[in-house]
Amino acid sequence: MRILIVSDIHSNLVALEAVLQAVGSFDEFWCLGDTIGYGPRPNECAALIREHATLTITGNHDLACLGKIDLRDFNPEARKANQWNGQQLLPEHRAWLEELAPMMIVDREIMLAHGSPREPVWEYLLAPETASANFELFTQQICFIGHSHVQLGFRQRHGFDRVERFFPDLLRVPPRNNVIDLSSNCRFFINPGSVGQPRDQDPRAAYAIFDPSAGTLTFARVEYEITRTQRDMVEAGLPGPLIRRLEYGM
């Protein structure tokens, strides 16, 4: 069984299409929020997620584009991009987004949260100490998260307090640490990284493939035509810093 897991698409249609083409077939598709915001193609990205995704939750930028959280909580560039994204949304995509929640319990083993179980809209899970505090707040074995735009995971062995943080190294040939054994006696946070605006110094679109039957998680990246997205952002009048950062993965 292949479950495609993505997060933080941020209206980057070119990156999302590249991920779908690279993955090919899948049995399910889970989206961890921030389908829109930042980028130039909110309606097209919303339409693709509505067409393909089995499970979708919302993120802070989705909520900001809908006017559900204060835009003053964002920096000037993100604020302008979110305002523009919200103005572009077609009514059917707006209605769909408004029904989504930032956290979801899938079953006894799996939970989804955009940020964290403690604060699903805003909290960044980047440090072992933050992950440790959040492990106490859910009972499932795995919580899939997004929000930070960093492809990483946290592992805590049952009966122990210590939390280990791990990163894939997909710039190596062959890739290193890209397949994680989830069948071990551990609990996990897994972040598939950002499709549309990575911030881990790798500009390629990030995603993950979860195989619950095999008990594995595979981190992956795919190149996409960044200049196409940048050109669309220029035409839309979106902020320059958001356009330039795409090519650096920052």
Side-chain angles (χ1 to χ4, degrees):
M1 184 175 185
R2 284 163 55 86
I3 301 176
L4 169 60
I5 302 181
V6 305
S7 190
D8 298 278
I9 299 160
H10 284 299
S11 298
N12 190 336
L13 178 65
V14 183
L16 178 57
E17 289 178 333
V19 168
L20 291 172
Q21 182 175 4
V23 173
S25 63
F26 47 81
D27 298 294
E28 294 191 22
F29 181 172
W30 300 352
C31 177
L32 306 179
D34 280 353
T35 297
I36 64 171
Y38 283 134
R41 291 288 182 262
N43 288 305
E44 294 87 341
C45 288
L48 271 181
I49 295 300
R50 292 181 67 189
E51 177 183 356
H52 293 290
T54 315
L55 302 175
T56 306
I57 58 176
T58 192
N60 57 313
H61 285 262
D62 298 322
L63 293 169
C65 294
L66 296 172
K68 289 194 167 187
I69 56 178
D70 197 334
L71 284 169
R72 290 175 296 183
D73 292 330
F74 296 83
N75 64 51
E77 289 82 16
R79 187 182 312 139
K80 180 177 180 180
N82 285 337
Q83 287 175 326
W84 183 88
N85 268 253
Q87 291 165 358
Q88 310 311 307
L89 273 181
L90 295 174
E92 59 265 34
H93 298 322
R94 178 178 294 275
W96 169 71
L97 283 166
E98 286 180 343
E99 294 178 354
L100 304 179
M103 188 165 65
M104 176 189 298
I105 294 175
V106 179
D107 55 31
R108 294 178 60 183
E109 300 296 329
I110 307 295
M111 180 179 181
L112 312 180
H114 179 66
S116 73
R118 180 167 60 183
E119 177 43 73
V121 174
W122 286 112
E123 186 168 36
Y124 290 93
L125 269 185
L126 290 168
E129 296 78 13
T130 312
S132 180
N134 275 275
F135 269 121
E136 299 179 7
L137 302 179
F138 70 104
T139 60
Q140 286 74 16
Q141 183 198 8
I142 307 169
C143 181
F144 291 101
I145 56 170
H147 191 46
S148 70
H149 298 209
V150 176
Q151 198 173 53
L152 85 167
F154 296 92
R155 180 190 292 113
Q156 183 183 57
R157 190 169 298 278
H158 284 292
F160 293 85
D161 294 331
R162 180 176 176 270
V163 173
E164 174 194 1
R165 179 176 55 186
F166 55 90
F167 300 90
D169 187 352
L170 303 187
L171 291 172
R172 288 177 177 257
V173 180
R176 188 177 71 174
N177 300 330
N178 66 315
V179 180
I180 307 302
D181 179 9
L182 301 178
S183 64
S184 59
N185 188 31
C186 295
R187 300 175 68 214
F188 294 89
F189 281 108
I190 299 290
N191 191 326
S194 171
V195 170
Q197 195 188 91
R199 293 179 186 164
D200 48 11
Q201 301 180 9
D202 184 343
R204 297 176 298 168
Y207 62 98
I209 300 292
F210 174 42
D211 186 340
S213 57
T216 60
L217 185 288
T218 303
F219 289 112
R221 308 294 281 242
V222 62
E223 293 184 2
Y224 72 97
E225 196 174 344
I226 293 172
T227 54
R228 281 180 57 199
T229 298
Q230 290 177 315
R231 183 169 60 248
D232 290 343
M233 293 176 76
V234 170
E235 291 176 358
L238 293 169
L242 299 182
I243 299 171
R244 291 189 293 272
R245 73 188 305 174
L246 291 179
E247 57 196 276
Y248 301 110
M250 299 288 287

